[in-house]
């Protein structure tokens, strides 16, 4: 099917869209929420900044947050669909997640943090923040929990990002785009997407996931491309200098420094390019259930060295994974303390429940030499045969019937509403884990150890 980017014209609202104007109960509850939120802000402002708070002051702040969050929870339990309908003009507009959250702060004061409050948060490392992203997580979770609003948001995030539409004509003409941390190059019927964060072992940060969202869109929108290939570029990290590395997962230094946002990163990657790898791109939407039209293509993963954390999560959304001998994959959720994206949703159906628990809860690695390697890797080859094996897989997956069949497989394995319900719980769980004391302690210890190693290397030179 020829992919057609959306024109931006609003769609007709579905018949079941809750478009009625807010009634007195909504107005009453919104005023009550605003009053409680304002009182909570006065109480927090009276306390010292987060790092200077005593144990008793931290307890008081936690009580303030818990009280106002209870009011927010009650409000969302009654009015989530109405809020979402107002934010989307009765489901006729499709604001992406960051825009939606910011607009919610304007529509219902106190429901989520304001732009100014989030800007103040970004000035601090993770351990010194107020934890306002937890309120964003609660709002996003409530929206996703709604069958109407949540489905609309999931489909919105499956649409192409504006940057991809701007670059599309150039990519179609030149067959290559160099983004900040990703290179996309068309070679015959395949488009090769290469991660390029060499100093951090191709770890994911906000720049990389934004570039990947754009890159995946370009591959799916280019009608001459039949197969996408994901591969990590050569790294200059001291431990693996000169070698390709698939991905080290989330950049834990950026997490420690407070530069891994919930909305833009932790939720945005799951609803954005990772979900597009599995379910494709919605490029033209018609009103009513079942009217969506889009494009999906098979994806190949080429794993050099390792695929850790978010890197392994990507493998679970791909159609064919080729690994070099000696490589491994892992989801070190227990070690990092955060939830491994949609890995918990997808790993069990691929590896079986027992092995999935060993990987997620026990930190087990799956190496190419393990008997269970076939649950993650389709082929294991010597390093010098990676390129030719990728090309052979591209040829096999370029057949016209592949795209249609892999789309049907994805729908059978993970219906969008199943994904939506999982992400609803993930939104809150991940927000709370990102501020949990054990996570903050772990990332701080890792950062200090890295700084010690860097200082030691500097002293030797």
């Amino acid at each position: 099917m020829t992919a057609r980017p959306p024109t931006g014209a609003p769609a007709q609202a579905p018949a079941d869209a809750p478009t009625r104007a807010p009634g007195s109960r909504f107005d009453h509850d919104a005023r009550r929420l605003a009053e409680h939120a304002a009182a909570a802000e006065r109480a927090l402002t009276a306390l010292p900044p987060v790092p200077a708070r005593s144990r008793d002051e931290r307890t008081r702040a936690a009580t303030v947050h818990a009280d106002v969050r209870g009011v927010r929870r009650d409000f969302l339990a009654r009015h989530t669909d109405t809020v979402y309908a107002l934010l989307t003009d009765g489901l006729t507009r499709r604001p992406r997640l960051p825009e939606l959250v910011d607009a919610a702060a304007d529509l219902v004061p106190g429901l989520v943090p304001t732009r100014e409050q989030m800007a103040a948060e970004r000035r601090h490392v993770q351990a010194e923040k107020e934890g306002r992203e937890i309120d964003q997580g609660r709002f996003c979770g409530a929206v996703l929990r709604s069958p109407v609003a949540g489905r609309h948001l999931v489909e919105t995030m499956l649409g192409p990002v504006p940057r991809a539409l701007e670059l599309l004509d150039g990519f179609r003409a030149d067959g290559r785009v160099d983004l900040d941390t990703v290179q996309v190059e068309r070679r015959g019927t395949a488009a090769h997407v290469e991660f390029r964060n060499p100093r951090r072992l191709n770890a994911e940060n906000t720049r990389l996931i934004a570039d990947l969202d754009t890159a995946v869109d370009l591959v799916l929108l280019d009608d001459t491309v039949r197969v996408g290939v994901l591969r990590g570029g050569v790294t200059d990290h001291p431990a693996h200098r000169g070698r390709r590395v698939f991905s080290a997962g989330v950049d834990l230094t950026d997490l420690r420094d407070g530069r891994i946002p919930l909305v833009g990163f932790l939720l945005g990657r799951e609803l954005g390019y990772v979900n597009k790898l599995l379910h494709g791109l919605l490029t033209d939407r018609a009103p009513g259930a079942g009217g969506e039209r889009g494009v999906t293509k098979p994806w190949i993963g080429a794993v050099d060295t390792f695929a850790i954390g978010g890197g392994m999560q990507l493998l679970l959304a791909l159609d064919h994974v080729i690994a070099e001998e000696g490589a491994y994959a892992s989801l070190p959720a227990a070690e990092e303390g955060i939830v491994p994206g949609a890995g918990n949703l997808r790993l069990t159906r691929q590896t079986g429940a027992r092995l999935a628990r060993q990987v997620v809860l026990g930190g087990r690695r799956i190496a190419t030499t393990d008997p269970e390697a076939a649950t993650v890797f389709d082929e294991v080859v010597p390093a010098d045969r990676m390129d030719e094996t990728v090309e052979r897989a591209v040829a096999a997956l370029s057949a016209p019937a592949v795209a249609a069949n892999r789309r049907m497989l994805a729908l059978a394995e993970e219906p969008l509403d199943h994904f939506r319900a999982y992400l609803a719980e993930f939104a809150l769980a991940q927000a709370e884990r990102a501020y949990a004391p054990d996570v903050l302690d772990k990332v701080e210890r890792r950062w200090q150890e890295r700084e010690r190693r860097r200082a030691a290397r500097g002293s030797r030179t």
Side-chain angles (χ1 to χ4, degrees), residues 16-22 26 74-91 100 107-108 111 139 141-153 420:
D16 59 349
T19 57
R20 68 175 181 79
F26 180 96
D74 293 343
F75 180 88
L76 288 168
R78 297 188 184 101
H79 304 298
T80 293
D81 280 343
T82 300
V83 169
Y84 192 83
L86 292 169
L87 293 173
T88 60
D89 293 339
L91 308 187
L100 182 80
L107 177 69
V108 184
L111 181 59
F139 170 73
V143 170
L144 289 163
R145 201 169 290 116
S146 163
V148 174
R151 178 66 179 242
H152 188 270
L153 177 58
R420 171 191 60 77

Side-chain angles (χ1 to χ4, degrees), residues 16 62 65 75 90 95 209 284 286 304 313 370 380 387 389 433:
D16 59 349
H65 281 300
F75 180 88
I209 67 160
D284 188 7
D304 303 274
Q313 294 168 32
D370 291 343
V380 176
D387 291 344
T389 307
R433 290 306 302 158

Side-chain angles (χ1 to χ4, degrees), residues 144-435:
L144 289 163
R145 201 169 290 116
S146 163
V148 174
R151 178 66 179 242
H152 188 270
L153 177 58
V154 169
E155 292 173 353
T156 295
M157 295 297 288
L158 284 175
V161 297
R163 186 182 179 201
L165 298 177
E166 294 169 2
L167 295 173
L168 181 57
D169 287 342
F171 179 64
R172 281 173 169 161
D174 302 333
R176 178 176 173 138
V177 169
D178 288 299
L179 305 172
D180 190 21
T181 59
V182 172
Q183 181 192 84
V184 192
E185 183 177 11
R186 189 173 60 239
R187 305 177 198 167
T189 60
H192 292 249
V193 177
E194 185 174 289
F195 319 144
R196 293 188 168 183
N197 186 11
R199 288 182 293 178
R200 298 290 179 85
L201 295 170
N202 292 324
E204 290 181 316
N205 54 28
T206 53
R207 291 184 308 159
L208 183 58
I209 67 160
D211 286 347
L212 282 171
D213 221 350
T214 300
V216 169
D217 285 353
L218 291 174
V219 174
L220 292 170
L221 288 168
D222 186 343
D223 300 331
T224 64
V225 173
R226 291 188 177 180
V227 181
V229 178
L230 297 183
R231 194 172 187 180
V234 174
T235 179
D236 58 13
H237 188 280
H240 299 279
R241 183 173 284 115
R243 295 188 60 188
R244 285 184 179 270
V245 170
F246 188 76
S247 175
V250 64
D251 190 323
L252 292 177
T253 297
D254 276 8
L255 179 59
R256 179 261 180 194
D257 290 343
R259 296 197 296 265
I260 300 295
L262 175 73
V263 170
F265 186 113
L266 297 172
L267 284 173
R269 77 181 290 273
E270 302 302 330
L271 287 162
Y273 77 91
V274 180
N275 202 31
K276 292 171 186 176
L277 292 172
L278 184 63
H279 288 290
L281 193 69
L282 294 185
T283 56
D284 188 7
R285 300 178 182 85
E292 302 85 11
R293 294 193 298 275
V295 58
T296 182
K297 296 175 182 178
W299 288 88
I300 296 167
V303 179
D304 303 274
T305 312
F306 53 67
I308 298 174
M312 184 176 181
Q313 294 168 32
L314 293 180
L315 305 186
L316 304 177
L318 305 182
D319 301 288
H320 194 81
V321 178
I322 302 161
E324 70 170 353
E325 292 177 346
Y328 69 88
S330 68
L331 284 175
E335 180 182 354
E336 294 172 354
I338 57 178
V339 181
N344 293 328
L345 174 64
R346 296 168 180 152
L347 185 64
T348 297
R349 69 170 179 256
Q350 189 157 319
T351 66
R354 186 53 51 202
L355 182 55
R357 280 166 170 76
Q358 293 171 13
V359 171
V360 175
L361 305 181
R364 177 177 173 177
R365 296 178 175 182
I366 299 180
T368 56
T369 54
D370 291 343
E372 298 84 1
T375 65
V376 176
F377 309 116
D378 295 284
E379 297 185 72
V380 176
V381 300
D384 60 3
R385 289 182 51 202
M386 286 288 286
D387 291 344
E388 66 178 81
T389 307
V390 168
E391 292 307 311
R392 189 171 63 250
V394 166
L397 292 179
S398 293
V402 170
N405 280 294
R406 62 95 57 192
R407 175 179 178 272
M408 300 309 293
L409 284 170
L411 289 174
E413 293 169 353
E414 188 181 297
L416 279 183
D417 279 330
H418 187 47
F419 170 76
R420 171 191 60 77
Y422 175 88
L423 257 289
E425 303 308 315
F426 170 82
L428 180 56
Q430 189 73 301
E432 292 182 337
R433 290 306 302 158
Y435 290 90

